[in-house]
Amino acid sequence: MPTDLLGREYDTFPAPQPLQQHGPARVIAMCNQKGGVGKTTSSINIAGALSQYGRRVLIVDFDPQGAASVGLGINANNIDNTIYTALFNPRMDVHEVIQHTEFENLDIIPANIDLSAAEVQLVTEVGREQILASVLRPIKNEYDVIIVDCQPSLGLLTVNALTAADGVIIPVAAEFFALRGVALLMQSIEKVQSRINPGLEVYGVLVTMYTRTLHCEEVLQRIYEAFQDKVFHTVISRSIKLPDSTVAAAPITIYAPNHKTSKEYREVARELVARGVIA
């Protein structure tokens, strides 16, 4: 039986069967308040892998930098309606905000710099923590998974994402400084669980930017000590192909399907399906 980098035995996960019908979607927040740990990259590439397995996937770009939008070839600066307009116009049909990408089964609600004003505006809104949940409610039956790509902070936007989500995936770079912020994130998740969204789960911790060095191996071991079986069996390697695929505005699973990192993201997608997180 094969083993992962932590020495855990596991059967490789089979390619999932096609679905006969779609929905209701499982909402996943891709969340870590530290920047540069691979949130957007993982959102795009897990979505890309799942879409190739016949799952209907929607990415919600919930970061004012709009990196997920750019990474899928959408110039959000030239679009009138983004996630920002959907948040503050309750009469708007959310279908007007969804952009279809050139990839089958993969859509996105884009974001641009306008979203940076939302943090301040949300403070005075009624039910401010639940606005994203209300935006997504009408379209949940149209998708199999909705991935919310959060901004690197623990502010009101992230709380909205955690309130709307069924579960969280926490990308953690294999470096010592990335470990320090995860404890704060776990505190925020526990507060949301106890006060707003008791059904919120931690679906897994995804180790990214891994290289075969003593430092990375030690960090991986520390992450496992903290999260045990929540750590995904697959670790995402550091690779120059990832920025290449971003420039090409395509998930790496489509841009370079035979590359090692593509296989890793497909394995993460298969693990999510095999564990029942996604249908």
Side-chain angles (χ1 to χ4, degrees), residues 17 57 70 75 78 116-117 120 152 154 169 173 200 220-221 230:
Q17 296 298 310
V57 186
V70 173
N75 185 352
N78 295 338
S116 58
V120 176
L154 291 177
I169 293 176
L200 184 67
L220 182 60
Q221 201 60 47
K230 293 286 187 190

Side-chain angles (χ1 to χ4, degrees), residues 57 80 92 102 129 203:
V57 186
D80 291 332
M92 172 174 270
E102 61 183 83
E129 296 93 353
Y203 286 149

Side-chain angles (χ1 to χ4, degrees), residues 59-158:
I59 294 179
V60 179
D61 191 347
F62 218 44
D63 184 345
Q65 294 177 63
S69 306
V70 173
L72 287 172
I74 306 292
N75 185 352
N77 294 321
N78 295 338
I79 294 171
D80 291 332
N81 294 326
T82 63
I83 186 62
Y84 173 78
T85 29
L87 287 173
F88 295 103
N89 184 354
R91 288 184 295 278
M92 172 174 270
D93 181 354
V94 68
H95 294 91
E96 294 177 32
V97 189
I98 295 171
Q99 297 285 319
H100 303 294
T101 70
E102 61 183 83
F103 312 108
E104 190 179 3
N105 294 322
L106 183 53
D107 296 340
I108 185 167
I109 296 180
N112 58 26
I113 197 66
D114 292 347
L115 189 60
S116 58
E119 200 86 45
V120 176
Q121 287 175 254
L122 281 169
V123 172
T124 57
E125 290 287 323
V126 175
R128 59 191 182 187
E129 296 93 353
Q130 306 193 6
I131 294 176
L132 179 62
S134 65
V135 168
L136 298 179
R137 201 171 292 123
I139 52 172
K140 284 181 80 169
N141 285 331
E142 298 170 28
Y143 293 93
D144 300 306
V145 58
I146 297 173
I147 297 176
V148 183
D149 180 34
C150 299
Q151 67 171 348
S153 86
L154 291 177
L156 263 175
L157 287 177
T158 300

Side-chain angles (χ1 to χ4, degrees), residues 5 34-38 41 172-178 207-213 215-216 219 234-244 252 259-262 264-265:
L5 288 171
K34 187 178 187 310
V37 296
T41 301
V172 182
E175 54 187 45
F176 177 71
F177 286 120
V207 179
T208 61
M209 303 181 187
Y210 181 84
T211 51
R212 283 195 171 276
T213 62
H215 177 74
C216 284
V219 171
T234 306
V235 168
I236 307 300
S237 306
R238 189 183 290 273
S239 168
I240 191 62
K241 272 286 185 231
L242 284 169
D244 286 351
I252 194 169
H259 191 268
K260 179 186 178 189
T261 311
S262 291
E264 290 166 351
Y265 273 116

